[in-house]
Amino acid sequence: MGDQNPFDHRLFAHKNFEIPVSNSSEGVDNYYFKIRSSQKADIRIAFRSVNRFVFYALNEYFLYGIFYGMILIIALYNLLIYSAIREVKYLYYVFYLLSVAGFAMALDGIGFQYLWPENPSWNSYATGVFAFFIITFAILFSVKFLNLKHRHRIFYRILIGFLAVKSLLFLVGLWFFPSLLEIQVYDVVPFSLILIASIQVLIKGYKVARLFVAAYSILFIGLMLKVMVQTAVIPHGTVLYYSLHIAFFDRNALTDFGTGRSC
């Protein structure tokens, strides 16, 4: 049942793994299962009736459609702005949005279902690759938007240096040690640096950075909640589990409004 099998081998065409269980007798039944994974596996188990499963699946896919649809709309909007005024920061932002969408789709299983169903081997690399591009274009966009090269040269050097180290680790992981791609805890660092840098630029009088600070504050909170859920620091919940999706959506909306105002 693993994600190393083509998607059309599944009993149900759904992003999650489903196992039909007969439940015709009264009393308590015990079920046993064994999990073997070549990479980190986030296992959540739920028993649902058929009616409940259909209701849950339809609503979940509907919300995914809204989430990815809004990302696509914002990306197209910024692509149009770039084509009109040719400022490279808008192109960075488009690539950042597409990387966010790719990462979320890889994480959710939506990407495997719709984008690469016949290439299950890509599942081992997808989250790590898209996470790298999120960091890359977030740094490039932030450096350009905040004009850190002139407004705060120290943070400019720190962020570019971090990107260089991240790129090196990414290439090593991609070609030699794929397990390195799974280590994403330290990805909190660049977002923390970007948030601090934006606050410093705002203090120096760059008022356009206000929405940027708000956007990255929301993203930082969502990122920390997601990390704490995955490491079992706080209990699992539906809203907390999708906190990063919500944070990405709010961050993108605020940043997009901010970049529009700075035209």
Side-chain angles (χ1 to χ4, degrees):
M1 291 186 65
D3 63 4
Q4 294 305 301
N5 297 314
F7 189 85
D8 59 7
H9 286 195
R10 298 189 181 188
L11 183 61
F12 297 98
H14 188 266
K15 67 184 188 66
N16 296 336
F17 299 117
E18 283 81 28
I19 304 174
V21 176
S22 59
N23 187 21
S24 57
S25 60
E26 295 183 358
V28 177
D29 293 327
N30 296 317
Y31 299 92
Y32 299 89
F33 59 92
K34 182 178 181 179
I35 298 171
R36 183 178 62 187
S37 178
S38 61
Q39 56 185 333
K40 180 181 177 181
D42 185 14
I43 307 299
R44 309 289 176 183
I45 304 168
F47 280 83
R48 294 188 176 97
S49 65
V50 173
N51 289 340
R52 179 63 183 174
F53 169 72
V54 172
F55 173 80
Y56 151 80
L58 290 175
N59 282 278
E60 186 179 35
Y61 275 80
F62 174 72
L63 293 175
Y64 278 136
I66 293 176
F67 175 73
Y68 293 115
M70 289 301 297
I71 288 181
L72 182 60
I73 290 172
I74 296 173
L76 290 174
Y77 170 72
N78 281 272
L79 187 60
L80 289 173
I81 294 178
Y82 169 74
S83 65
I85 63 177
R86 298 293 177 177
E87 286 194 21
V88 72
K89 66 181 178 182
Y90 294 102
L91 195 59
Y92 289 152
Y93 192 52
V94 169
F95 289 137
Y96 166 80
L97 289 170
L98 295 178
S99 300
V100 168
F103 177 79
M105 294 182 81
L107 205 61
D108 299 330
I110 296 291
F112 184 34
Q113 181 173 358
Y114 292 107
L115 298 184
W116 56 87
E118 300 300 324
N119 295 282
S121 59
W122 177 241
N123 289 316
S124 300
Y125 299 90
T127 54
V129 170
F130 285 121
F132 168 73
F133 285 119
I134 287 176
I135 298 297
T136 298
F137 291 113
I139 290 176
L140 293 176
F141 170 75
S142 301
V143 165
K144 196 70 176 177
F145 180 80
L146 297 172
N147 197 12
L148 292 180
K149 191 172 184 179
H150 301 288
R151 295 182 184 276
H152 210 301
R153 189 170 291 273
I154 293 177
F155 272 104
Y156 171 79
R157 290 173 177 171
I158 292 174
L159 286 170
I160 296 300
F162 182 91
L163 181 57
V165 174
K166 175 72 175 177
S167 300
L168 179 60
L169 291 175
F170 172 74
L171 292 175
V172 172
L174 193 63
W175 295 107
F176 302 106
F177 304 104
S179 58
L180 285 177
L181 299 177
E182 300 174 29
I183 304 174
Q184 298 170 4
V185 176
Y186 59 83
D187 288 345
V188 177
V189 174
F191 289 108
S192 303
L193 292 172
I194 291 171
L195 177 59
I196 296 171
S198 62
I199 293 173
Q200 292 292 321
V201 170
L202 178 61
I203 292 173
K204 287 186 174 183
Y206 188 50
K207 300 302 182 183
V208 178
R210 286 180 294 184
L211 287 176
F212 196 91
V213 171
Y216 267 94
S217 297
I218 293 172
L219 180 59
F220 184 77
I221 293 171
L223 190 61
M224 292 306 299
L225 287 174
K226 182 69 173 181
V227 170
M228 287 190 288
V229 168
Q230 288 187 330
T231 54
V233 175
I234 56 178
H236 172 270
T238 301
V239 175
L240 291 175
Y241 184 78
Y242 289 106
S243 60
L244 192 57
H245 289 68
I246 298 170
F248 272 130
F249 180 79
D250 291 340
R251 184 265 183 200
N252 292 337
L254 281 173
T255 305
D256 186 63
F257 182 66
T259 55
R261 290 185 61 187
S262 66
C263 291

